[in-house]
Amino acid sequence: ECAEEGRASIYRSVFTNSCKEMMCFPDFPFPDDFPNYMHNSKLQEYIRMYAKHFALLRYIKFKTMVSSIKKRPDFPVTGQWDVITKRNGKEESAVFDAVMVCSGHHVHPNFPVDCFPGLKKFKGSYFHSREYKEPEKFKGKRVLVIGLGNSGSDIAVELSHTASQVYLSSRSGSWVMSRVWDKGYPWDMLTVTRFETFLRNTLPTSVSDWLYVRRMNTWFKHENYGLMPLNRTSRKEPVFNDDLPSCITRGTVVVKPNVKEFTETSAIFQDGTVQENVDFVIFATGYSYSYPFMEDNAILKCRDNEVTLYKGILPPRLEKPTMAVIGLVQSLGAIIPTSDLQARWAIRVFKGLYKLPPVNDMMEDIDEKMGKKLKWYGQSNTLQTDYVSYMDELASAIGVKPNFPLLFLTDPRLALEVYFGPCSPYQFRLTGPGKWDGARNAILTQWDRTLKATRTRVVHDSQKHFPFLNLFKILVFPLLLAVFLMFN
């Protein structure tokens, strides 16, 4: 099986990095018996269940490629688009009132072969990680994986069981997190919370940075494993891998710095060390995003040849706001609930139910966001954003953000869970347009579903952890506020 041109590609062993309660559609929880972190086949099963439940299949044209999207001649008046599709070699044309671009950003590989002198004379095999599917053909081989991201780490760990030796090369290092967090709970249910976001945005930067580095080093000290990121306080997306530190301690994966150059059979690293007899080089160097079906790329790349989008969704200079880009963001939150809320925001824009500000104001908002990204992630044009802040921004605009003063007065139990507990997708279906009647119950039972997936041998539970945790956070809040005031 090979990767198909123009389509995303995954290896067989891919598992999710977000747990089921944090990555579901907000009005359709995963079944109770699904694991918290699931194999890609389970996720595909869930998406099919969702499509069947909401009778979506009749709206989907399968095995159909969009080859062209362009404005109609009367676009300034109608906002309509001419769309050409191909199916079984036959072209079809249709007119649409609005277009959502949902092609993602893991399709077009970033393959920087020119950045590695000598690679073209290397006698072994080299390829991008999107071509990797399974480990069997690497049995007994020496493999160099370039890139310390989620794919690079996953592939290095998987190959460590079959290859004779795996080397993992990193240019700038990365924080590595386990999916299993305090007391065995999913990492994102404990860290992706409104309370955590409040602290991060409220505490002095020096205190916030210190707490962040301390937390990221809780599992193991990264500098002892050669993994410490160059910019340790950057909130760049960490790597999620439960096994990498163990592989490093066993010597089956050896962490190396960036490759300086290749010879016919070896790799020479920036620190001067040389690794001889390398058989395979796998470039886990990420992806770039591209829109080959857009007749006019200036629609999306309206400044400095970079994709420029209001709220990370809308091309700001369109005469009529009838195009949205969905899913072109990255955060510690899952893509399904993010895309769901983006789509709801876009639909209200299309229907004229959300009034957009003038173009200059939209461009200023984009510039302000780029400044914040430079501060938090070290790059102004990164796709990364803060999940809770971003979701709340979209939710506020369309009237679906929970009203906390009212919630604390009318339903304090729910308010505590929403504010101090995980910022799960159901929160954005509690109120407003698209409200789901099951949202409150889904929030109050999310921990039950999480535990049901792992408590397959039932033992007596001597204490309830989370109500106490919430009470503790309420009591400690005045202390944190005092610390903040002291530093200011």
Side-chain angles (χ1 to χ4, degrees), residues 252-298:
T252 54
V253 174
V254 176
V255 178
K256 303 293 289 184
N258 199 30
V259 176
K260 181 181 177 183
E261 63 177 301
F262 286 94
T263 69
E264 289 185 350
T265 59
S266 63
I268 303 170
F269 298 95
Q270 293 284 6
D271 61 359
T273 58
V274 180
Q275 184 51 56
E276 303 281 358
N277 303 318
V278 176
D279 298 301
F280 289 93
V281 180
I282 302 175
F283 284 83
T285 44
Y287 294 82
S288 56
Y289 38 96
S290 175
Y291 304 97
F293 46 80
M294 291 295 297
E295 290 281 316
D296 182 4
N297 265 316

Side-chain angles (χ1 to χ4, degrees), residues 110-350:
N110 175 38
F111 202 173
V113 292
D114 294 336
C115 297
F116 294 90
L119 183 62
K120 290 180 180 175
K121 63 183 178 184
F122 175 65
K123 288 186 174 178
S125 297
Y126 63 90
F127 55 91
H128 191 272
S129 58
R130 81 184 300 270
E131 306 291 334
Y132 175 85
K133 292 295 179 183
E134 52 196 5
E136 281 71 22
K137 76 173 186 178
F138 302 93
K139 187 172 183 179
K141 304 296 184 181
R142 301 171 82 85
V143 183
L144 169 62
V145 180
I146 296 178
L148 178 60
N150 285 313
S151 295
S153 301
D154 278 354
I155 291 169
V157 166
E158 182 167 77
L159 290 178
S160 72
H161 301 292
T162 54
S164 65
Q165 184 63 62
V166 177
Y167 302 93
L168 180 57
S169 166
S170 174
R171 181 177 55 187
S172 55
S174 178
W175 294 115
V176 178
M177 287 174 61
S178 171
R179 295 175 178 87
V180 183
W181 209 243
D182 297 346
K183 300 185 184 297
Y185 292 104
W187 75 268
D188 38 353
M189 292 188 76
L190 297 183
T191 62
V192 183
T193 74
R194 295 178 181 281
F195 182 70
E196 291 271 341
T197 303
F198 166 77
L199 288 183
R200 187 167 58 251
N201 294 335
T202 306
L203 290 172
T205 303
S206 57
V207 176
S208 177
D209 287 348
W210 178 80
L211 288 171
Y212 178 73
V213 172
R214 187 170 180 270
R215 165 179 267 181
M216 299 307 277
N217 264 326
T218 301
W219 186 23
F220 66 93
K221 196 171 182 179
H222 281 63
E223 60 189 292
N224 292 347
Y225 286 70
L227 296 169
M228 177 68 81
L230 292 178
N231 183 357
R232 62 183 64 193
T233 60
S234 169
R235 293 336 192 246
K236 198 174 80 169
E237 184 184 12
V239 168
F240 292 94
N241 197 293
D242 305 307
D243 304 309
L244 182 59
S246 297
C247 290
I248 295 171
T249 59
R250 294 196 301 264
T252 54
V253 174
V254 176
V255 178
K256 303 293 289 184
N258 199 30
V259 176
K260 181 181 177 183
E261 63 177 301
F262 286 94
T263 69
E264 289 185 350
T265 59
S266 63
I268 303 170
F269 298 95
Q270 293 284 6
D271 61 359
T273 58
V274 180
Q275 184 51 56
E276 303 281 358
N277 303 318
V278 176
D279 298 301
F280 289 93
V281 180
I282 302 175
F283 284 83
T285 44
Y287 294 82
S288 56
Y289 38 96
S290 175
Y291 304 97
F293 46 80
M294 291 295 297
E295 290 281 316
D296 182 4
N297 265 316
I299 292 172
L300 299 179
K301 298 183 177 182
C302 68
R303 186 173 64 181
D304 301 331
N305 203 35
E306 289 181 359
V307 174
T308 308
L309 302 170
Y310 179 61
K311 306 295 185 191
I313 303 171
L314 190 84
R317 298 193 188 278
L318 282 176
E319 302 96 317
K320 292 281 185 179
T322 57
M323 173 172 280
V325 180
I326 305 299
L328 195 64
V329 293
Q330 243 176 314
S331 73
L332 285 182
I335 195 61
I336 288 177
T338 305
S339 297
D340 178 84
L341 195 52
Q342 286 183 320
R344 292 164 70 192
W345 182 91
I347 288 295
R348 294 188 74 75
V349 171
F350 294 163

Side-chain angles (χ1 to χ4, degrees), residues 316-390:
R317 298 193 188 278
L318 282 176
E319 302 96 317
K320 292 281 185 179
T322 57
M323 173 172 280
V325 180
I326 305 299
L328 195 64
V329 293
Q330 243 176 314
S331 73
L332 285 182
I335 195 61
I336 288 177
T338 305
S339 297
D340 178 84
L341 195 52
Q342 286 183 320
R344 292 164 70 192
W345 182 91
I347 288 295
R348 294 188 74 75
V349 171
F350 294 163
K351 294 171 76 173
L353 298 173
Y354 175 68
K355 183 171 172 54
L356 293 168
V359 173
N360 285 344
D361 291 356
M362 287 194 278
M363 296 304 292
E364 284 179 14
D365 183 79
I366 292 168
D367 288 339
E368 182 186 335
K369 298 289 194 314
M370 290 176 76
K372 289 180 179 177
K373 288 180 178 184
L374 185 63
K375 174 188 173 185
W376 285 104
Y377 308 113
Q379 292 176 275
S380 61
N381 61 348
T382 178
L383 298 182
Q384 286 198 250
T385 189
D386 179 78
Y387 178 71
V388 177
S389 300
Y390 181 66

